[in-house]
């Protein structure tokens, strides 16, 4: 079974631009979560989508948004990029909701490394 | 304030040595997970511990969940170069709350 795939793997943008990242979950998985990973803050939760609905949201500004399609593929968008948005963006898929109560195993993709100049 | 504190932040050891890394919090978690992340890859789940005092073994890796479910440790026996990576702990609190990750311990095992 193919793993979680993310495209593109690397991206360079300049301040003020916007970017869209894509994530294809493992076949059959309905939940996709997005995380931002930086050396200073570690892995921080952005949001989770399940059945095309956002089920959970982390503490990030409104410039960060996402969506999920009927085939469970997900995209996240960052508008008006700032230098501090440079990070590795990871998505993770699971069969069901990835919240604490479910203890669903999350499978991570390799990430998209975004550099904002 | 980081909810989960991992220590040490960096660790460099020789092949064959033993080591322990820690994941501490002042909060109680319903479960705790350990992941290993290698360069250019996403984290891979190693283990989930759910019961206070629980000990789980995965070959040379031993994971322990504290009795009060506020902390956890990962012990590696006879470390090998293949153990090199970033070890992350992640805690789940309750309900539908998302996982909270520590910043990780970056381990380097030198042959």
């Amino acid at each position: 079974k193919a793993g979680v795939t993310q495209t593109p793997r690397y991206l360079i943008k300049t301040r003020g631009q916007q970017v869209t990242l894509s994530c294809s979950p493992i076949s059959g998985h309905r939940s996709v979560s997005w995380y931002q990973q930086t050396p200073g803050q570690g892995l921080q939760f952005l949001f989770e989508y399940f059945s095309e609905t956002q089920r959970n949201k982390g503490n990030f500004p409104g410039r960060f948004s996402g969506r999920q399609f009927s085939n469970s593929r997900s995209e996240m968008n960052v508008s008006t990029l700032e230098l501090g948005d440079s990070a590795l963006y990871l998505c993770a898929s699971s069969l069901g909701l990835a919240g604490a109560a479910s203890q669903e195993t999350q499978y991570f993709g390799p990430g998209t490394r975004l550099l904002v100049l | 304030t980081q909810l989960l504190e991992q220590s040490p932040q960096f660790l460099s050891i020789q092949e064959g040595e033993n080591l322990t890394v820690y994941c501490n919090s002042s909060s109680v978690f319903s479960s705790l997970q350990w992941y290993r992340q290698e360069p250019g890859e996403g984290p891979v789940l190693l283990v989930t511990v759910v019961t206070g005092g629980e000990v789980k073994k995965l070959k040379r890796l031993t994971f322990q969940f504290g009795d009060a479910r506020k902390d956890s440790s990962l012990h590696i026996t006879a470390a090998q170069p293949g153990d090199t990576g970033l070890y992350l702990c992640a805690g789940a609190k309750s309900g539908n709350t998302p996982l909270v990750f520590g910043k990780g311990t970056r381990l380097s095992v030198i042959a």
Side-chain angles (χ1 to χ4, degrees):
Chain A
K1 194 185 262 192
V4 177
T5 57
Q6 292 187 244
T7 56
R9 291 293 308 274
Y10 304 92
L11 206 48
I12 300 175
K13 291 285 188 179
T14 55
R15 278 180 298 173
Q17 287 187 309
Q18 74 163 21
V19 67
T20 300
L21 311 181
S22 180
C23 172
S24 292
I26 291 171
S27 178
H29 285 195
R30 296 171 63 192
S31 169
V32 173
S33 297
W34 288 89
Y35 295 85
Q36 182 196 65
Q37 186 175 30
T38 60
Q41 298 299 320
L43 253 158
Q44 293 188 291
F45 173 78
L46 281 156
F47 27 66
E48 179 183 13
Y49 285 87
F50 181 84
S51 293
E52 301 177 66
T53 303
Q54 186 180 92
R55 300 303 180 111
N56 234 325
K57 190 177 190 305
N59 190 26
F60 278 81
R63 299 185 297 107
F64 292 81
S65 63
R67 58 178 176 167
Q68 186 180 35
F69 302 95
S70 58
N71 62 358
S72 294
R73 191 176 70 84
S74 177
E75 289 180 347
M76 68 162 280
N77 184 277
V78 188
S79 63
T80 320
L81 284 166
E82 301 177 0
L83 296 179
D85 297 332
S86 295
L88 181 67
Y89 290 88
L90 293 160
C91 86
S93 76
S94 55
L95 277 170
L97 279 170
S102 71
Q103 294 184 26
E104 284 279 352
T105 297
Q106 288 188 290
Y107 297 85
F108 284 83
T112 293
R113 187 163 295 280
L114 171 66
L115 177 61
V116 182
L117 301 175
Chain B
T1 303
Q2 195 74 14
L3 205 55
L4 281 168
E5 298 283 347
Q6 290 192 244
S7 62
Q9 194 176 350
F10 299 96
L11 190 55
S12 181
I13 61 170
Q14 295 290 326
E15 182 177 2
E17 291 184 0
N18 302 332
L19 67 114
T20 303
V21 298
Y22 302 92
C23 175
N24 296 307
S25 177
S26 57
S27 300
V28 175
F29 290 94
S30 60
S31 67
L32 208 137
Q33 299 179 334
W34 285 91
Y35 292 79
R36 181 170 67 216
Q37 184 178 17
E38 298 184 24
E41 301 295 331
V44 174
L45 180 66
L46 297 173
V47 77
T48 300
V49 284
V50 297
T51 306
E54 181 177 3
V55 176
K56 280 193 174 179
K57 292 194 174 186
L58 186 66
K59 295 183 182 177
R60 295 175 294 99
L61 277 60
T62 302
F63 304 86
Q64 184 161 9
F65 201 11
D67 290 340
R69 289 186 289 134
K70 291 183 180 182
D71 52 77
S72 181
S73 64
L74 158 59
H75 181 81
I76 301 179
T77 303
Q80 299 177 0
D83 296 327
T84 294
L86 179 67
Y87 287 82
L88 296 159
C89 67
K93 300 208 81 176
S94 63
N96 195 33
T97 55
L99 286 177
V100 174
F101 282 81
K103 292 186 183 181
T105 292
R106 191 166 295 280
L107 171 65
S108 176
V109 182
I110 302 162

